[in-house]
Amino acid sequence: MDKKYFRNFSIIAHIDHGKSTLSDRIIEITNGVQKREMVEQILDSMELERERGITIKLNAVQLQYHSQDGHDYLFHLIDTPGHIDFTYEVSRSLAACEGALLVVDATQGVEAQTIANVYLALENNLTIIPVINKIDLPSADVAMAKQTIKEKIGIDATNACCVSAKTGLNIPALLEQIVQLIPAPTGDDNAPLQALIFDSFYDQYKGVVCLVCIKNGTIKVNQKIRFMANHAVHTVVELGIRTPHIVNRECLCTGEVGWIAANIKSAQEINVGDTITDELHPCTTPLAGYKKVQPMVFSGIYPLDSSKYEALKDAMIKIALSDSSLSYEYENSQALGFGIRCGFLGLLHMDVIRERIQREFKIELIFTTPSVKYQLVLTDGSTLIIDNPNKFPDRTKIKSVAEPFINLMITTPESALGDIMQLCQRHRGVYRDLTLSVNQYFIVTYLIPLGEIIYAFFDQLKSISRGYATMDYTFADYAVSDLVKIDILLNGDKIDAFSLISHRDFAYEKARKIVSKLKTEIPRQLFEVPIQAVIGGKVIARETIKAMYKNVLAKCYGGDVTRKKKLLEQQKAGKKKLKALGTVQVPKDIFIKILAND
């Protein structure tokens, strides 16, 4: 087929505005799958995506569409996530497209992530088609949605296609707009091969599989290819497309989006954003890659069973292959042994990675207390950036500490508004704005430290609002705060897994909570065990685990009282020696109990 009949496009929107449902209707109308095979969220292949009703991974399909102009068109549809934590997925999918469908909920209008995704599309010079969704709902306000698109984004939405992805209303008209407005891909089939890797995953039979968009040239089975980032050379064994079923092909030409398998055994050989070229007739310059995103939340991951450490390393390599926004490095903890320090784009991203490791690889995990990235200015004038509390230097060497702040937007019914505002203020939030949306929900905005919401803030928010409130956030800036490092000592030994950085005003409360929980969870020893929370050399909270009582006089049935005194003195000296030399082994299940709470 002539590539002038190709249309490559993504669907972008704020979370829960109907992207996956719209994808379902487009696949259904273009007969991508038979009706008996059609299910909701057909492009959300992970069980976790279906359970939560969100898109986590981008997915690409090729569809055939017969237009009203009498021609057959080839659609390459890439479904994308909507949550801010998966923005990197969106940016990668947009690089493989020429256009984007901007979906806006008719009941909510333009929201934060809508604008962020539009900026990503504009950076890639894409044609944007506004789509007003959910017009079948009684609370839909199409005029309001069009007005907010014009005011907040600057796109004329007068002729925006108004659809209902749920019922299929006006979807055929939208397909005609795709044909008319989105340009065909440019490129030359006879030019040297340039294929952009926009995603990858691991298949136990095929090895590492790359999802690619062919920008120039063609790629065929048995062709020798070179990865330009590391100069690795492989031979293409299989290639094909998704419809969304896997379909093998003999070649992919310019403008097509598909997959290739080349017996790649190691995940480290693949870099998302790399360019694939022909080994015999290579191109001179690689395609522009992707701007690497910076992680926002950091946590250590340790296997509950230390013998599963190697399995955890393999699992992390495979997950990082399909999620290139995940960063990690290996670390060692005195309390937990060998583990992996991971950087996540946000709280949902961290939760999804934990669920994937436990479900897909059957490894029980311990996550250390989440942390954020802090910027320290030392007394010698140098700057230090840390993401781990155990790297926090002595307070006497620190001039100032800056922490990241976010703009937190909470949508809530009026009944929970007061309690939610109190919750934000308890977490050092600064009030910014309060608006009323068209569906009679309030949107309250706070400037709040990111470190304050990474523990149990979301759980508390859901509890207060009985599940009705939702939250979203965008990064604001770094600001100097009075932060201190809290260490937990057990019988004088520091337990590095419990170390945390806190604002000074809340340090005592947090320390008190940790030492109290440890007192109830750690088994009693034959000697007295002090539990202390310290800032520098100052103890701010303390609990004591009393020694187990052993009746050494039980064997004395009589005799001189000096015999009993001697036994008691020996016991006292023995306990004193145990306290000085003994170590307390903390069972790993205690870390789960303590660290699972806020």
Side-chain angles (χ1 to χ4, degrees), residues 343-414:
F344 308 97
L345 299 186
L347 307 178
L348 179 60
H349 189 206
M350 180 175 71
D351 195 30
V352 165
I353 295 299
R354 177 173 63 233
E355 286 279 351
R356 289 188 62 187
I357 294 175
Q358 292 179 340
R359 290 184 184 211
E360 297 175 23
F361 301 96
K362 305 294 187 282
I363 303 174
E364 290 297 322
L365 301 173
I366 299 172
F367 268 63
T368 62
T369 306
S371 178
V372 297
K373 189 173 287 186
Y374 298 95
Q375 295 181 350
L376 284 65
V377 178
L378 305 182
T379 52
D380 61 4
S382 60
T383 301
L384 180 65
I385 298 177
I386 64 168
D387 55 40
N388 189 337
N390 294 305
K391 297 179 181 178
F392 203 81
D394 189 271
R395 201 64 179 84
T396 58
K397 299 178 181 179
I398 301 173
K399 184 178 181 181
S400 64
V401 184
E403 62 177 335
F405 278 72
I406 59 171
N407 293 311
L408 178 67
M409 292 148 285
I410 300 175
T411 303
T412 175
E414 184 180 4

Side-chain angles (χ1 to χ4, degrees), residues 319-330:
I319 286 183
L321 181 67
S322 63
D323 185 354
S324 53
S325 60
L326 175 66
S327 61
Y328 65 93
E329 61 182 16
Y330 303 116

Side-chain angles (χ1 to χ4, degrees), residues 543-575:
E543 291 286 353
T544 302
I545 302 175
K546 297 297 184 183
M548 286 192 298
Y549 177 70
K550 181 180 179 181
N551 187 5
V552 294
L553 302 182
K555 57 185 177 182
C556 295
Y557 296 101
D560 192 352
V561 70
T562 57
R563 172 64 178 160
K564 296 179 180 180
K565 286 184 178 181
K566 182 179 179 181
L567 290 173
L568 291 173
E569 289 296 328
Q570 287 177 344
Q571 184 186 46
K572 183 178 179 181
K575 287 189 174 185

Side-chain angles (χ1 to χ4, degrees), residues 1 80 130 162 214 234 284 350 393 396 406 409 417 431 448 450 482 585:
M1 183 184 291
T80 59
C162 301
I214 312 300
H234 294 276
T284 55
M350 180 175 71
T396 58
I406 59 171
M409 292 148 285
L417 181 61
Y431 172 79
I448 193 168
L450 177 61
D482 186 13
Q585 296 296 327

Side-chain angles (χ1 to χ4, degrees), residues 260-280:
I260 64 169
N263 273 341
I264 304 170
K265 305 298 184 184
S266 173
Q268 284 90 342
E269 293 187 48
I270 298 300
N271 296 298
V272 172
D274 191 9
T275 301
I276 295 176
T277 189
D278 185 63
E279 168 63 8
L280 300 178

Side-chain angles (χ1 to χ4, degrees), residues 154-175:
I155 297 176
D156 183 12
T158 306
N159 298 320
C161 199
C162 301
V163 306
S164 169
K166 184 177 181 180
T167 64
L169 179 64
N170 292 335
I171 300 298
L174 175 60
L175 297 179

Side-chain angles (χ1 to χ4, degrees), residues 99-148:
L101 304 183
L102 176 65
V103 180
V104 176
D105 191 329
T107 65
Q108 299 180 23
V110 174
E111 297 195 54
Q113 198 57 28
T114 312
I115 300 174
N117 287 335
V118 167
Y119 289 152
L120 289 174
L122 293 175
E123 287 177 5
N124 287 274
N125 298 316
L126 302 189
T127 299
I128 299 175
I129 300 178
V131 181
I132 311 296
N133 191 25
K134 302 187 183 181
I135 63 171
D136 59 309
L137 297 180
S139 58
D141 188 342
V142 175
M144 175 277 303
K146 290 183 177 180
Q147 184 67 21
T148 55

